[in-house]
Amino acid sequence: MSIRHFLSLTDITSAELDTIITAAIDLKKARHRGELNKQLEQKVLGMIFEKSSTRTRVSFESGMTQLGGSALFLSSRDTQLGRGEPIEDSARVLSRMVDIIMIRTFGHDIVERFAAHSQVPVINALTDMYHPCQLLADIQAYVEHRGSPKGKKVAWVGDGNNMCHSYINAAALCGFTLHIACPEGFEPDAELAAKHADIVTVTNNPTEAVSNADWVVTDVWASMGQEDEQQEREEKFAAFQVNHSLMSHANKNAVFMHCLPAHRGEEVSAELIEDDSVSIVWDEAENRLHAQKALMLFLLGKL
């Protein structure tokens, strides 16, 4: 059987996505009931972090432990992919010692080159281009609260970043339309948006994007590594805050999501993110644990 990797949502089919989301919901319910699951007993997850993270490490490490396996944390000081040993050599060696590998790094080419030389599944836990694991959690959260996202209108408000790119892929996989509102000069990858022009629109008007939306999502204005642009971005993104006023243009039953960490008073108002009648960000955050457990089971042939 060929090795399956998860470098972006394009690595799975719509049917496989449904399988993973269904499994994630079942795993969540089982954990809440206190049931044990040791499907990955004796398996080892190698976790390579070139970018720091709270949720990614905790969710992957806890998830692997809960499934009976173990996780090995490798920081940038331990690996330095491409800056010491060639990426291809690291992939060849590490994949002979562990059963599955996740990488959180900068360039998307790094995970692609690593996967091309790995003997075990490789998971993209964030690159500058895509953040597909977060999308699994987001889709799970929407399904749990509102059912299938097929045919829905989703509004992305803010930077056309890696999360936005993954939402474009999710639109194609889930069958929703994606309406992106970005300040001029911060639009998503033009080639990717053009590829999905039938289901993706890009505007500089957040009200237009959110109007009649079923699902509204945003992210920080300055991502990791862009801290020196914070002040400039605060000025350019000032009209793109998601708050109750902007959400009033969405459908009555619309939900709000944010992948966290959130900067209250910047991309989202404190009142909105704490409003449980609209905001489902805490379920969304918890779902990283369950969705990634389902993903690892899928990649290791256990689903």
Side-chain angles (χ1 to χ4, degrees):
M1 188 175 70
S2 61
I3 301 167
R4 296 292 300 269
H5 302 297
F6 186 67
L7 308 187
S8 79
L9 287 170
T10 60
D11 288 324
I12 57 175
T13 66
S14 294
E16 289 171 338
L17 174 65
D18 288 343
T19 297
I20 292 169
I21 297 302
T22 299
I25 292 171
D26 289 343
L27 287 164
K28 185 177 185 178
K29 290 177 180 176
R31 174 160 172 77
H32 289 179
R33 289 193 298 266
E35 296 175 7
L36 298 180
N37 183 333
K38 300 297 180 186
Q39 283 181 276
L40 297 186
E41 193 166 20
Q42 297 299 316
K43 300 293 185 184
V44 177
L45 167 68
M47 305 191 301
I48 299 174
F49 282 84
E50 293 205 304
K51 278 187 172 182
S52 61
S53 169
T54 303
R55 279 161 296 281
T56 297
R57 178 177 179 181
V58 173
S59 57
F60 268 108
E61 192 164 341
S62 297
M64 197 62 182
T65 301
Q66 289 168 16
L67 290 172
S70 59
L72 180 64
F73 175 75
L74 298 167
S75 72
S76 58
R77 288 174 298 181
D78 303 313
T79 55
Q80 296 191 1
L81 286 179
R83 296 192 296 276
E85 185 178 52
I87 294 169
E88 293 78 5
D89 291 359
S90 295
R92 291 186 180 103
V93 174
L94 292 178
S95 68
R96 287 171 179 247
M97 300 177 179
V98 301
D99 301 283
I100 187 168
I101 294 169
M102 60 126 287
I103 305 176
R104 184 178 173 92
T105 186
F106 297 91
H108 193 70
D109 65 302
I110 293 175
V111 294
E112 290 178 328
R113 290 167 58 193
F114 196 101
H117 294 83
S118 173
Q119 296 184 14
V120 300
V122 174
I123 297 171
N124 171 12
L126 184 141
T127 65
D128 292 342
M129 187 64 184
Y130 294 117
H131 194 3
C133 289
Q134 183 64 54
L135 261 293
L136 295 181
D138 288 21
I139 295 166
Q140 180 184 345
Y142 190 84
V143 171
E144 289 173 328
H145 284 266
R146 297 292 186 267
S148 171
K150 187 175 183 178
K152 302 297 184 182
K153 176 178 178 178
V154 179
W156 172 271
V157 180
D159 194 12
N161 60 12
N162 51 1
M163 276 294 295
C164 182
H165 295 157
S166 288
Y167 263 87
I168 293 174
N169 286 338
L173 212 54
C174 296
F176 60 72
T177 60
L178 180 64
H179 300 255
I180 301 166
C182 307
E184 189 173 352
F186 294 90
E187 292 87 355
D189 181 85
E191 183 176 343
L192 181 64
K195 181 180 178 182
H196 299 287
D198 57 328
I199 51 173
V200 173
T201 62
V202 181
T203 176
N204 302 126
N205 185 332
T207 302
E208 179 183 318
V210 170
S211 180
N212 299 316
D214 301 288
W215 171 356
V216 179
V217 59
T218 189
D219 194 3
V220 293
W221 291 340
S223 298
M224 193 178 299
Q226 298 170 333
E227 290 81 1
D228 58 341
E229 303 174 21
Q230 179 69 31
Q231 186 172 352
E232 175 194 355
R233 284 173 173 258
E234 284 182 16
E235 295 171 0
K236 293 184 176 178
F237 283 78
F240 289 78
Q241 183 187 85
V242 183
N243 49 39
H244 279 105
S245 176
L246 185 61
M247 285 297 294
S248 70
H249 298 281
N251 281 336
K252 185 178 180 181
N253 208 30
V255 297
F256 169 74
M257 293 196 213
H258 190 308
C259 62
L260 305 177
H263 293 182
R264 292 166 172 79
E266 294 183 16
E267 77 276 2
V268 60
S269 68
E271 294 79 12
L272 181 67
I273 198 170
E274 298 294 346
D275 183 350
D276 292 339
S277 69
V278 181
S279 171
I280 60 171
V281 298
W282 312 120
D283 284 336
E284 178 191 6
E286 178 188 340
N287 286 348
R288 287 289 300 275
L289 171 68
H290 310 294
Q292 290 163 187
K293 286 165 69 175
L295 175 65
M296 289 190 288
L297 289 172
F298 170 77
L299 294 174
L300 290 171
K302 301 293 186 180
L303 291 184

